[in-house]
Amino acid sequence: MVIFKLPLSMLLLFFLFNIFLCSAEILYIPVTKDATTLQYITEVGQRTPLVPIKLLVHLGGRSLWVDCDKGYKSSTYKSAACNSTECSYSKSLYCDDCRFKPQLQPGCNNNTCFIWGDNPLIDWFDDSAEVDEDVLAIGSTPGVRVTWPRFIFGCMLSRNMVRSFAKGVTGVAGFGRESPISIPNQLALDPKFTKKFGICLSSSTKSRGVIYIGSGPYYVYNPKRIDISNDLLYTKLIANNKRGFVASEEYYIQVLSIRIAGQDIPLNKTLLFINKKEGDGGTMISTAKPFTILHTSIYDAFKTTFIKALSKNVSLVEPPTKQFDVCFSSKNIRSTNVGPDVPVIDIVLHKPSAFWKIYGTNSVVQVSKDVVCLAFVGQDQTREPSIVIGGHQLEENLLVFDLPRKKIGFSSSLKLQQTSCSKYDNTIIA
């Protein structure tokens, strides 16, 4: 174990977590795309002896929480005592005794504290996540696997919390921006890491993407090793603490306009800004939504402009699935290194010259041999973000979340560099 010095204010936390340091500054957390649900999933080791646990990757999650109702067994498990340092550090909501089960068990102990747990797939919140701690092993080669003897997590007993999860998934890996017990913020207690992480989601269900923990560089291969964290477009991270009855940990950015094939789409610009009173509106980034959701009025203008910008020899077809509204034949669409040759979409950020390009590989989805659909969904977003950027649009792009500096960096599609998120490890054949 490496011996290091901590400020006095951190000494208690050092003994609390008994951190094992690793020699690398970057931790690689593999992420798999589930073929059936399109959910992004990571796997960690937890408990003693270690048990593999599959978790839903939730960018705006407050903590790591697991379902403790099905045979949670561990010799190193410990519940947090009411008013303990763990409860205070977790910003617990209240203390209570076991009221959910006839006898004590993990997730139902006396004189302990509780925090919020959430299921982003069904927008469900539950304030009965018991604050507990146990061994956690996280990360994989080429980074060094990190083991925490006492990682704080939420222990849930509510069946609603696991609704709609992919098969085998029993919890959430939360990467929220401010919660002290989110994964990046807990890992940053190790001075080898920082409160900075990058997400690179693979578009394939057969090859894994990665979450990088640490300041960088973030390497992939093409076949030479390249740092994809260079030349990113950065924009300000916007906090939205007014959304709903629970303080939001989600990541918002400012979008000024949307261009398709160089043309601004006509839209109500008010929708692009967060309503400071109610917390609705604005643009949120989510790993829990498979496709980008647009407020109905934005979507109507978006699809109209996109259709007009299509080549004249591309014909619209009846959507083969209810999930999408606009589909067209791909027979006359040329294939490029960044996907189908369809109109390029620019998400204009804090100024007109700062924009994130979305190419065909991220703007449309192949639903059958000769049919592609616009991979955006129109939805009534009253009291919700006007735009929710979903997973399909994030795939094969690097997003870097710099929490201390409150900014987010965007790359362009890695396909422009003849590489992909799945090539983060040169021992993996994508």
Side-chain angles (χ1 to χ4, degrees):
M1 180 183 292
V2 178
I3 303 299
F4 58 94
K5 294 182 179 180
L6 287 173
L8 289 176
S9 61
M10 293 295 290
L11 284 176
L12 185 57
L13 288 174
F14 171 75
F15 290 113
L16 170 66
F17 288 105
N18 190 23
I19 302 168
F20 286 124
L21 299 180
C22 66
S23 59
E25 293 184 353
I26 297 294
L27 182 68
Y28 296 74
I29 303 177
V31 178
T32 301
K33 182 180 179 181
D34 181 69
T36 303
T37 64
L38 306 184
Q39 294 168 19
Y40 301 100
I41 298 164
T42 190
E43 185 175 294
V44 300
Q46 193 197 38
R47 313 171 194 179
T48 302
L50 284 176
V51 175
I53 306 294
K54 290 185 178 180
L55 304 170
L56 174 75
V57 174
H58 178 20
L59 190 56
R62 293 163 177 74
S63 66
L64 186 159
W65 69 257
V66 299
D67 178 12
C68 293
D69 199 29
K70 298 178 181 178
Y72 189 108
K73 295 181 180 180
S74 173
S75 62
T76 48
Y77 164 86
K78 180 184 177 184
S79 62
C82 185
N83 298 321
S84 64
T85 301
E86 295 93 333
C87 291
S88 175
Y89 189 72
S90 303
K91 297 184 178 180
S92 63
L93 303 169
Y94 63 94
C95 291
D96 205 350
D97 293 333
C98 179
R99 300 181 185 276
F100 314 117
K101 295 290 181 179
Q103 60 185 21
L104 301 183
Q105 68 168 76
C108 197
N109 290 282
N110 291 330
N111 190 38
T112 190
C113 57
F114 297 85
I115 56 174
W116 286 108
D118 66 320
N119 178 341
L121 303 180
I122 57 173
D123 292 325
W124 186 272
F125 293 87
D126 193 311
D127 65 356
S128 62
E130 185 179 87
V131 176
D132 294 334
E133 55 188 18
D134 209 336
V135 170
L136 181 76
I138 187 169
S140 73
T141 57
V144 176
R145 193 164 178 85
V146 172
T147 299
W148 287 59
R150 299 174 67 182
F151 194 91
I152 295 177
F153 71 101
C155 207
M156 297 293 310
L157 298 179
S158 171
R159 291 184 179 180
N160 276 323
M161 295 304 292
V162 293
R163 279 170 50 198
S164 301
F165 281 2
K167 184 178 180 180
V169 174
T170 58
V172 161
F175 287 79
R177 54 189 173 81
E178 291 187 351
S179 170
I181 59 170
S182 71
I183 288 177
N185 286 335
Q186 277 203 75
L187 291 179
L189 293 172
D190 180 338
K192 287 290 183 181
F193 300 125
T194 61
K195 293 183 179 181
K196 183 177 179 180
F197 66 97
I199 289 184
C200 201
L201 301 175
S202 173
S203 58
S204 171
T205 58
K206 298 178 180 179
S207 301
R208 299 181 301 180
V210 64
I211 297 175
Y212 303 91
I213 300 289
S215 294
Y218 302 155
Y219 289 121
V220 295
Y221 295 81
N222 77 335
K224 293 183 178 180
R225 191 173 72 169
I226 58 173
D227 179 9
I228 55 174
S229 62
N230 287 331
D231 302 321
L232 299 182
L233 169 65
Y234 278 94
T235 194
K236 184 180 178 182
L237 167 63
I238 300 175
N240 181 10
N241 295 320
K242 293 286 186 178
R243 186 182 175 221
F245 60 92
V246 181
S248 174
E249 288 286 325
E250 303 282 4
Y251 293 85
Y252 282 75
I253 57 173
Q254 185 61 63
V255 170
L256 295 181
S257 65
I258 301 174
R259 293 195 297 252
I260 297 177
Q263 178 183 350
D264 282 336
I265 69 169
L267 50 80
N268 180 358
K269 295 292 183 72
T270 304
L271 295 172
L272 301 179
F273 294 85
I274 296 172
N275 181 327
K276 293 183 180 180
K277 184 178 180 180
E278 302 293 339
D280 54 1
T283 299
M284 188 180 89
I285 302 172
S286 174
T287 52
K289 305 298 181 184
F291 303 99
T292 291
I293 299 171
L294 301 176
H295 184 285
T296 305
S297 66
I298 297 176
Y299 178 73
D300 289 342
F302 182 90
K303 71 176 182 179
T304 299
T305 306
F306 191 90
I307 291 170
K308 286 182 178 179
L310 282 170
S311 176
K312 300 301 181 184
N313 64 348
V314 174
S315 57
L316 295 177
V317 299
E318 189 71 21
T321 171
K322 294 181 179 180
Q323 187 171 20
F324 303 110
D325 182 46
V326 176
C327 300
F328 33 91
S329 171
S330 59
K331 290 181 179 179
N332 293 324
I333 299 178
R334 185 172 61 95
S335 180
T336 73
N337 65 326
V338 286
D341 187 13
V342 295
V344 176
I345 300 167
D346 294 333
I347 306 297
V348 181
L349 303 175
H350 54 277
K351 59 182 180 179
S353 60
F355 51 90
W356 177 41
K357 283 189 174 295
I358 299 178
Y359 297 94
T361 188
N362 296 105
S363 65
V364 299
V365 60
Q366 193 91 34
V367 296
S368 65
K369 180 181 178 183
D370 296 319
V371 176
V372 295
C373 295
L374 186 59
F376 291 77
V377 178
Q379 190 169 294
D380 180 10
Q381 288 295 96
T382 304
R383 301 194 180 280
E384 298 289 341
S386 298
I387 301 173
V388 181
I389 299 175
H392 185 76
Q393 281 66 44
L394 303 178
E395 290 172 355
E396 307 304 350
N397 284 256
L398 173 68
L399 270 68
V400 173
F401 298 81
D402 190 332
L403 303 187
R405 294 178 175 83
K406 296 183 178 180
K407 62 182 184 177
I408 301 176
F410 295 81
S411 73
S412 292
S413 174
L414 297 187
K415 296 192 176 200
L416 291 169
Q417 302 180 60
Q418 276 72 56
T419 189
S420 69
C421 293
S422 64
K423 296 181 179 178
Y424 68 95
D425 180 352
N426 66 341
T427 65
I428 297 175
I429 300 175

